[in-house]
Amino acid sequence: MIGVIAWAIVESENGNSLFMHLLAALPILSERPTTFMSDRDKGLMDAEALLPLCICRAYCCFHLKENFTTKSSRTLADIFWQTARSPIAYLYNYYMNTLHQINPTAAAYLRNIPSQF
């Protein structure tokens, strides 16, 4: 199995530019199953439609946690990680319900992040 890790330096977090350069530099990305991990930046999310179907989209939990705690409270970082690392649906639902009891707005923020693409 071949593994590729890529970074791109572009003029801004404009997904169109990033993906155009990335696919030009690594045409194999259009041919093989690949995972694209992002921080959910609006420019990147808008441009994900340009990615070939064989590319799986994923979000970086570190960046999700940073955005989550910035929008809600740094004190919720632990429950974010418990939720994100839940190995089974029962635990995920338990932590989401706990979060909802603590801060319904924070729970809604997490629920609005797509879990599948």
Side-chain angles (χ1 to χ4, degrees):
M1 182 173 168
I2 298 173
V4 176
I5 296 178
W7 285 265
I9 299 173
V10 295
E11 63 272 8
S12 69
E13 282 196 9
N14 174 318
N16 293 330
S17 176
L18 170 65
F19 296 144
M20 182 177 61
H21 291 296
L22 190 59
L23 292 172
L26 299 166
I28 194 168
L29 295 179
S30 297
E31 303 162 8
R32 301 186 86 168
T34 305
T35 300
F36 176 78
M37 183 176 288
S38 79
D39 63 357
R40 294 190 73 236
D41 177 84
K42 185 176 179 353
L44 294 176
M45 289 174 56
D46 290 344
E48 281 184 0
L50 300 174
L51 292 174
L53 293 177
C54 65
I55 295 182
C56 175
R57 285 89 170 149
Y59 298 134
C60 171
C61 282
F62 174 81
H63 285 97
L64 288 179
K65 189 263 310 174
E66 289 297 305
N67 294 337
F68 170 75
T69 56
T70 297
K71 292 180 187 305
S72 55
S73 168
R74 294 268 174 216
T75 62
L76 297 176
D78 285 342
I79 197 163
F80 169 87
W81 285 116
Q82 290 170 322
T83 306
R85 293 179 176 142
S86 296
I88 57 175
Y90 172 81
L91 285 176
Y92 173 83
N93 291 328
Y94 171 80
Y95 289 121
M96 283 300 291
N97 289 333
T98 302
L99 177 60
H100 182 78
Q101 292 172 358
I102 297 168
N103 186 325
T105 304
Y109 175 79
L110 286 185
R111 280 194 180 100
N112 286 328
I113 297 171
S115 60
Q116 296 180 3
F117 299 91

